[in-house]
Amino acid sequence: MAANPTAPTALWPAPHARGAVDATVHVPGSKSVTNRALVLAALASEPGWLRRPLRSRDTLLMAGALRAMGVGIDEGVGPDGSGEAWRVLPAGLRGPATVDVGNAGTVMRFLPPVAALAAGDIRFDGDPRSYERPLHGVIDALRVLGARIDDDARGALPLTVHGGGALDGGPVSIDASSSSQFVSALLLSGPRFNQGVEVRHTGRSLPSLPHIRMTVDMLRAVGAQVDTPESGGEPNVWRVTPGALLGRDLTVEPDLSNAQPFLAAALVTGGRVLIPDWPSRTTQPGDRLREIFTEMGGSCELTEYGLEFTGSGRIHGIDVDLGDVGELTPGIAAVAALADTPSTLRGVSHLRLHETDRLAALTKEINELGGDVTETADGLRIRPRKLHGGVFHTYEDHRMATAGAIIGLAVAGVQIENVATTAKTLPDFPDLWTGMLGSDGA
């Protein structure tokens, strides 16, 4: 079950759309790209630039953690004055230091391998929910690769990595079925291990494969040699050769998963939304929204300006496996609750271990607004019913908050508890949302 919601001390009246939206929404940079880029730049052999980085709770926690370990990160404008950029200055990683992971999966999983390369002790702590999220895949693997870690046998936070300044590396087998971040965490630091790393996934189906592909693409972009199943290697095996990483000048793409609520607004209201700078090629899971939301009743066109998405005025149910794109589930569930036919969302049992138990939370909150949602072994079954207003609890989960806002477009009287939790990955969401609605919002 999801954690008990906190008392609704800060309720945000979700705007109710009076008509079709027609807006251009500039979505901030990708959290997944920003945090991977920060780790790779911190491990590089020379300084690098990160342009248009996302400034959100998760990315600022990552930057703060790397600074605590000795990395220089200067925030300002790029060398040509073309907008916000971060200059990352690699340095000798060192402790003692304390890292606050908040409830950021990328911070709690990507940085223990980095800490194993530091000289000194690095302690990791975070929000209460972070103690419940699995870390055993990273902890157990690092021990096999030569690291010393104290976690009191919990396989979770809090923990201390006793950095020795280097790590042997080599082959390791892990079960990453609860989080693809276990694989990405080891690959990102792998070039700095003495023997590189060979990661073999031994569990059941691996969720969120696009995020591993993102990690591999970004590693190759900074000079790492990576062998993958897609490049002719063994199934479920990734190999990274030891070697120096290059400092790069990287521009961060818009966060396509965070574009979801705005595209959903076009679908729900029968309107049009343009997301500028949508990439023509990307490893971001959010790119699959083009396919999913088209099947649910919209249409889209990718132009030189970005992605233009248009709703038809009708929403159709969908039967879809979201195993590779689980983070999209809350928004899709919200749209499905407003559809004209039932939906089945499959392949996302791992969402029970995210910021909250997202399957239990979505079921409870949509049903309390009059919906008909049933949990299955690996997802949700959603039967459309007429919804009514009420409090939509977020469980300190940013994607629960945006899901509630989507429902509020079509259902008057929805109030979002703690909408500020969207700052985890999408700062200024309330302003972006009301700006999109303009004079059409209630």
Side-chain angles (χ1 to χ4, degrees):
M1 290 293 294
N4 290 329
T6 57
T9 54
L11 297 180
W12 182 65
H16 183 60
R18 295 196 182 101
V21 302
D22 186 359
T24 296
V25 180
H26 291 269
V27 177
S30 164
K31 179 264 294 186
S32 298
V33 172
T34 299
N35 274 357
R36 283 167 173 78
L38 282 170
V39 171
L40 291 172
L43 295 174
S45 59
E46 57 192 353
W49 285 98
L50 186 57
R51 299 173 187 262
R52 294 174 60 181
L54 174 67
R55 287 184 57 87
S56 72
R57 187 184 186 215
D58 278 17
T59 61
L60 293 176
L61 284 168
M62 180 66 85
L66 291 169
R67 287 189 182 108
M69 287 189 271
V71 178
I73 302 176
D74 297 332
E75 302 179 32
V77 297
D80 55 2
S82 59
E84 184 173 9
W86 293 353
R87 180 71 161 165
V88 182
L89 305 166
L93 297 168
R94 63 183 183 274
T98 297
V99 167
D100 176 11
V101 309
N103 192 18
T106 51
V107 182
M108 70 179 72
R109 292 168 181 147
F110 292 177
L111 289 188
V114 176
L117 298 168
D121 292 350
I122 311 295
R123 176 172 171 78
F124 290 82
D125 208 338
D127 297 351
R129 171 62 181 174
S130 71
Y131 293 7
E132 302 172 21
R133 300 184 69 181
L135 264 178
H136 54 85
V138 174
I139 294 169
D140 294 346
L142 286 174
R143 285 182 174 138
V144 170
L145 298 174
R148 291 194 305 121
I149 301 175
D150 288 338
D151 68 333
D152 292 334
R154 286 184 303 269
L157 292 171
L159 60 84
T160 298
V161 178
H162 301 286
L167 196 67
D168 290 340
V172 65
S173 296
I174 63 171
D175 180 355
S177 54
S178 60
S179 177
S180 68
Q181 290 176 351
F182 294 168
V183 175
S184 287
L186 298 169
L187 299 183
L188 286 168
S189 292
R192 290 285 304 273
F193 299 165
N194 294 338
Q195 302 172 42
V197 71
E198 176 188 285
V199 182
R200 183 181 299 270
H201 167 60
T202 59
R204 60 186 189 277
S205 61
L206 186 60
S208 304
L209 273 170
H211 277 123
I212 297 179
R213 297 189 188 107
M214 176 188 293
T215 298
V216 170
D217 278 8
M218 294 184 68
L219 275 161
R220 288 172 173 163
V222 296
Q225 180 179 331
V226 189
D227 296 323
T228 71
E230 294 84 359
S231 60
E234 295 180 62
N236 291 325
V237 177
W238 293 262
R239 294 184 180 90
V240 179
T241 301
L245 298 179
L246 306 174
R248 291 297 197 197
D249 188 330
L250 172 71
T251 299
V252 178
E253 298 172 351
D255 193 313
L256 307 189
S257 294
N258 277 341
Q260 181 182 39
F262 306 102
L263 300 180
L267 189 56
V268 168
T269 68
R272 182 200 72 91
V273 168
L274 172 67
I275 307 293
D277 302 320
W278 193 287
S280 58
R281 178 192 174 277
T282 181
T283 53
Q284 287 194 60
D287 193 45
R288 197 171 163 207
L289 286 167
R290 294 191 287 161
E291 168 199 337
I292 294 170
F293 278 172
T294 295
E295 187 175 344
M296 296 186 81
S299 61
C300 64
E301 181 181 6
L302 190 58
T303 71
E304 60 180 310
Y305 303 107
L307 182 71
E308 184 174 307
F309 188 85
T310 306
S312 63
R314 296 190 62 187
I315 305 170
H316 308 308
I318 192 170
D319 186 330
V320 61
D321 189 324
L322 299 175
D324 279 354
V325 292
E327 66 196 51
L328 304 180
T329 302
I332 294 169
V335 173
L338 304 170
D340 54 15
T341 54
S343 295
T344 300
L345 312 184
R346 295 178 283 107
V348 288
S349 59
H350 60 285
L351 294 189
R352 294 187 171 97
L353 301 171
H354 275 223
E355 280 81 345
T356 188
D357 179 342
R358 285 178 171 165
L359 300 184
L362 286 165
T363 299
K364 180 177 183 296
E365 297 309 315
I366 295 174
N367 286 351
E368 289 194 352
L369 299 182
D372 184 358
V373 182
T374 304
E375 273 194 72
T376 65
D378 71 338
L380 300 172
R381 188 171 293 115
I382 303 169
R383 300 174 182 86
R385 288 178 56 179
K386 183 175 177 59
L387 303 182
H388 56 72
V391 175
F392 195 93
H393 298 101
T394 62
Y395 307 85
E396 298 185 6
D397 185 333
H398 55 131
R399 300 207 192 279
M400 287 295 296
T402 53
I406 292 168
I407 293 173
L409 289 174
V411 179
V414 174
Q415 299 182 84
I416 311 298
E417 174 257 335
N418 189 20
V419 74
T421 194
T422 53
K424 185 176 193 293
T425 62
L426 186 53
D428 303 322
F429 169 75
D431 289 342
L432 287 169
W433 196 247
T434 55
M436 171 193 68
L437 292 170
S439 60
D440 291 331

